[in-house]
Amino acid sequence: MSTFGVTLKKVVDDSYDIEIGFELEETLLRDLQNGLVGSVKKYAVVTDSIVKELYAEKICRMLQSAGYQAELFVFEQGEKSKTRKTKEMIEDAMLAHGFRRDCCIIAVGGGVVTDLAGFVAGTFGRGVPFINYATTLLAAADASVGGKTAVDTPLATNLIGLFNQPEKVYIDIAAWKTLPEIQISSGMAETIKHACMASGELFAYLEKHMQDLFSVQREVCEHIAEENCRIKYHVVEKDERESGLREILNLGHTVGRAVETVSDYRLHHGEAVAIGLVAQAKLSVRLGYMTGQEADRVVRLLQQAKLPVAIPAYIDREALVQKLYTDKKVRDGRLRFVVQKGIGGIVEFEDGVFATPVTEDVAREIILQL
Ligand code: GLY
């Protein structure tokens, strides 16, 4: 019998830029021509049925006119498409069009598109580079940045995926002008989450400028996009793989993800997160980390963003309690919650530990109050 020691030490530099601005299609082309992904000439532009006509076709044509081989791969819009089946459909279509390892994927769209396309990129030909061109506030605030890619399963959201960092992220704020109001609200939930956990200043700014955001006022949108990136990256740079600190980006998501799944995606992700933020605020008050007035401020800001602050009547409360156990923070069968501290802070329960066990009875009590 023999034993071979396989030494494979890696030094990885996954650094990349996030460019925030208005109408960044030409910037993307210039970056590709300047070698953003080396000498790659083949681009798979992955998008959904809505963003296709708004932006993706234009980007695809622009690449073709510049002499690149570019093809569009389109799937039906909506969270219900974020599945292994859609991933397989895109992979098969890419293979049929002759795409192999020498390609790059450009995800053009919101969070569903960037989550799915980033996951395809992570496994296609054992990994090809990808770029996110984010067209929604939700993608700008959360999904397109940070390198989490995944698909949903019937059991719960985001259970199958990879940490996979893009080559670059473009946040095109001009695209927010074509968003339905519900999409602005949905992205605001992740923005409010960032403010709740890390910045009292951002929280106060949102209280003051919510209307400017809905009318896509350029300066306000740019400020919000920058603050989202600053807060998120402060966390991701320290703990990319979520071994501790990154759990704080889960604020509001324990109840949020569960209610999203139990609603069968009738609730948008941001709407579900808003309900989850109210749940964690109630828990925080109960545990003594927030005052009732601070929790009321959170509720009011969510309402200003036209987000729900109560669980819809059609949701089966007991099914929701049981769904909490599909959360990735569950340890040894115990529910764990991230908890806000005042406005703009997060509770560190022990050194480097940011989630606390909560009994099922307490979780049920909070859900029944909502
Ligand atoms: N959306 C939470 C995270 O990126 O960790």
Side-chain angles (χ1 to χ4, degrees), residues 32 36-37 40-45 69 94 99-107 121 128-131 167:
L32 297 180
L36 176 64
V37 277
V40 171
K41 295 276 180 284
K42 269 175 148 169
Y43 292 91
V45 179
Q69 184 185 338
M94 284 176 63
F99 281 80
R100 299 292 183 266
R101 295 192 65 184
D102 57 345
C103 72
C104 170
I105 291 177
I106 304 180
V128 296
F130 76 107
I131 290 165
E167 300 300 308

Side-chain angles (χ1 to χ4, degrees), residues 12-18 37 105 114 118-119 121-122 128-132 142-149 162-169 232-233 236-237 239-242 246:
V12 177
D13 183 356
D14 269 342
S15 315
Y16 57 94
D17 288 335
I18 302 168
V37 277
I105 291 177
T114 59
F119 188 21
V128 296
F130 76 107
I131 290 165
N132 283 336
D142 189 36
S144 76
V145 293
K148 277 189 178 174
T149 70
L162 289 170
F163 288 101
N164 191 22
Q165 301 293 347
E167 300 300 308
K168 183 161 176 177
V169 179
K232 181 154 185 180
Y233 272 90
V236 173
E237 282 173 355
D239 178 24
E240 184 201 0
R241 304 252 154 180
E242 200 166 316
R246 190 166 179 167

Side-chain angles (χ1 to χ4, degrees), residues 24-280:
L24 296 172
E25 294 95 339
E26 297 286 340
T27 313
L28 164 66
L29 177 60
R30 230 181 7 258
D31 286 345
L32 297 180
Q33 289 169 328
N34 289 335
L36 176 64
V37 277
S39 58
V40 171
K41 295 276 180 284
K42 269 175 148 169
Y43 292 91
V45 179
V46 177
T47 193
D48 70 23
S49 50
I50 292 202
V51 181
K52 170 182 176 247
E53 279 164 36
L54 292 170
Y55 307 102
E57 279 177 341
K58 181 178 167 198
I59 288 175
C60 201
R61 274 198 306 271
M62 192 185 70
L63 294 176
Q64 288 162 347
S65 303
Y68 293 110
Q69 184 185 338
E71 297 284 344
L72 261 187
F73 297 92
V74 185
F75 61 88
E76 182 57 36
Q77 69 82 32
E79 186 76 28
K80 278 198 162 181
S81 289
K82 212 177 97 176
T83 60
R84 284 171 281 193
K85 210 166 167 200
T86 310
K87 179 172 181 277
E88 184 182 313
M89 184 271 287
I90 294 168
E91 290 160 348
D92 287 346
M94 284 176 63
L95 291 169
H97 278 83
F99 281 80
R100 299 292 183 266
R101 295 192 65 184
D102 57 345
C103 72
C104 170
I105 291 177
I106 304 180
V108 183
V112 171
V113 176
T114 59
D115 276 10
L116 184 63
F119 188 21
V120 171
T123 59
F124 191 83
R126 297 206 180 92
V128 296
F130 76 107
I131 290 165
N132 283 336
Y133 194 97
T135 59
T136 67
L137 172 56
L138 183 85
D142 189 36
S144 76
V145 293
K148 277 189 178 174
T149 70
V151 292
D152 303 331
T153 69
L155 184 68
T157 61
N158 295 330
L159 284 183
I160 310 286
L162 289 170
F163 288 101
N164 191 22
Q165 301 293 347
E167 300 300 308
K168 183 161 176 177
V169 179
Y170 298 85
I171 293 177
D172 186 350
I173 290 169
W176 300 2
K177 288 192 173 155
T178 55
L179 288 179
E181 193 176 83
I182 179 70
Q183 288 287 351
I184 295 274
S185 296
S186 195
M188 273 312 294
E190 295 288 357
T191 308
I192 292 170
K193 175 195 81 177
H194 284 149
C196 284
M197 58 176 245
S199 173
E201 288 81 31
L202 177 61
F203 196 96
Y205 184 88
L206 295 175
E207 287 177 321
K208 195 161 163 217
H209 290 287
M210 189 64 77
Q211 204 38 54
D212 301 329
L213 176 78
F214 276 105
S215 48
V216 192
Q217 216 241 57
R218 185 171 180 155
E219 246 174 57
V220 171
C221 293
E222 279 181 355
H223 179 68
I224 286 171
E226 283 161 18
E227 283 297 285
N228 275 322
C229 290
R230 187 183 63 75
I231 292 168
K232 181 154 185 180
Y233 272 90
H234 184 70
V235 175
V236 173
E237 282 173 355
K238 292 194 176 115
D239 178 24
E240 184 201 0
R241 304 252 154 180
E242 200 166 316
S243 43
L245 181 67
R246 190 166 179 167
E247 285 192 331
I248 71 173
L249 295 176
N250 267 276
L251 185 72
H253 282 61
T254 313
V255 170
R257 280 207 194 89
V259 78
E260 185 182 9
T261 316
V262 176
S263 81
D264 196 26
Y265 304 106
R266 279 164 75 178
L267 287 170
H268 285 253
H269 180 66
E271 293 181 297
V273 168
I275 293 166
L277 284 172
V278 179
Q280 69 78 31

Side-chain angles (χ1 to χ4, degrees), residues 203 277-278 281-282 293-305 307 309:
F203 196 96
L277 284 172
V278 179
K282 286 194 181 296
Q293 285 88 340
E294 286 166 336
D296 288 345
R297 250 181 103 191
V298 173
V299 169
R300 275 199 304 276
L301 186 58
L302 293 166
Q303 285 170 325
Q304 263 184 277
L307 286 160
V309 293

Side-chain angles (χ1 to χ4, degrees), residues 311-317:
I311 299 169
Y314 63 81
I315 299 281
D316 177 337
R317 271 42 182 184

